[in-house]
Amino acid sequence: MHEIVSNELGYEGRLLKLRVETVRVGGGQTVTREVIEHPGSVSIVPIDDEDRVILVRQYRPAVANMLFEIPAGTLEPGESPEETALRELREEIGMRAERLREIGSYYLAPGYSSELMHAYVASGLRPAPLPRDLDEDIRLESIPFTELAEQVVRGVLRDAKTVSAVLLLAYERGLHGC
């Protein structure tokens, strides 16, 4: 059994909080844990009428690299995951979806973060852009879904949200042998 002995806020920023906990574990020992509190997020697999997925390529400072990934974003206060998904589609790829369907949810890094990501598939895409966030420099690319699923399985794409959502959808579609 784990007993929290102390709980301190180490940092509070615009997006997340860092909580430092002292926990008593089995045998009476105490350990310190750092936990990132995150409001939650969404990821979206936007599929056009030709079964191509629209992806974003953007620089990610944490890994000092450009990543190829599905659109995603953080829940705003009072916003449902579905509302966030619809907003992010318009901000990141300039499209609205006639159909939005949740395909799953998952913790991105439960060893140190509370972030729960809700994954969606968006279809019936039509132009409806919103202004992008000021810190985003995004380039759009599209790829046939089956080719994207194969790239995920081969390890070409390394972004966890993209890998997870694409594998969920591939399994749903019966593409077990990608």
Side-chain angles (χ1 to χ4, degrees):
M1 188 67 174
H2 296 240
E3 172 193 353
I4 298 174
V5 176
S6 69
N7 191 351
E8 298 176 26
L9 183 62
Y11 171 80
E12 183 171 3
R14 176 185 62 82
L15 175 65
L16 52 89
K17 296 176 186 176
L18 174 64
R19 187 176 76 237
V20 180
E21 291 183 344
T22 301
V23 179
R24 190 176 332 279
V25 295
Q29 293 179 317
T30 58
V31 296
T32 301
R33 294 198 175 127
E34 297 160 345
V35 177
I36 295 173
E37 294 180 7
H38 190 282
S41 56
V42 301
S43 60
I44 312 105
V45 182
I47 300 180
D48 68 15
D49 295 338
E50 283 127 28
D51 206 40
R52 296 177 64 85
V53 178
I54 301 170
L55 297 152
V56 298
R57 185 177 298 275
Q58 61 185 324
Y59 182 76
R60 294 298 197 173
V63 295
N65 210 341
M66 295 288 287
L67 293 184
F68 200 34
E69 55 193 82
I70 59 176
T74 301
L75 296 170
E76 296 289 339
E79 195 175 52
S80 72
E82 184 175 280
E83 290 169 326
T84 301
L86 293 170
R87 175 180 51 77
E88 288 293 339
L89 277 174
R90 294 183 65 201
E91 286 178 2
E92 291 197 1
I93 67 168
M95 298 283 188
R96 68 173 173 78
E98 291 176 4
R99 293 172 300 284
L100 186 69
R101 181 174 56 85
E102 189 168 5
I103 56 172
S105 61
Y106 34 83
Y107 291 101
L108 290 179
Y112 60 85
S113 174
S114 67
E115 184 176 1
L116 177 65
M117 179 167 274
H118 303 270
Y120 291 89
V121 175
S123 57
L125 302 174
R126 302 293 175 256
L130 285 176
R132 287 193 177 145
D133 291 338
L134 295 175
D135 63 342
E136 291 180 326
D137 180 18
I138 294 174
R139 289 173 186 80
L140 302 180
E141 298 183 33
S142 63
I143 184 169
F145 180 79
T146 54
E147 186 178 325
L148 179 62
E150 289 168 1
Q151 286 186 9
V152 164
V153 172
R154 288 195 325 264
V156 174
L157 300 176
R158 297 174 60 189
D159 170 59
K161 70 181 167 297
T162 302
V163 169
S164 299
V166 169
L167 289 178
L168 284 169
L169 187 55
Y171 184 82
E172 183 181 280
R173 288 179 165 200
L175 299 176
H176 309 295
C178 295

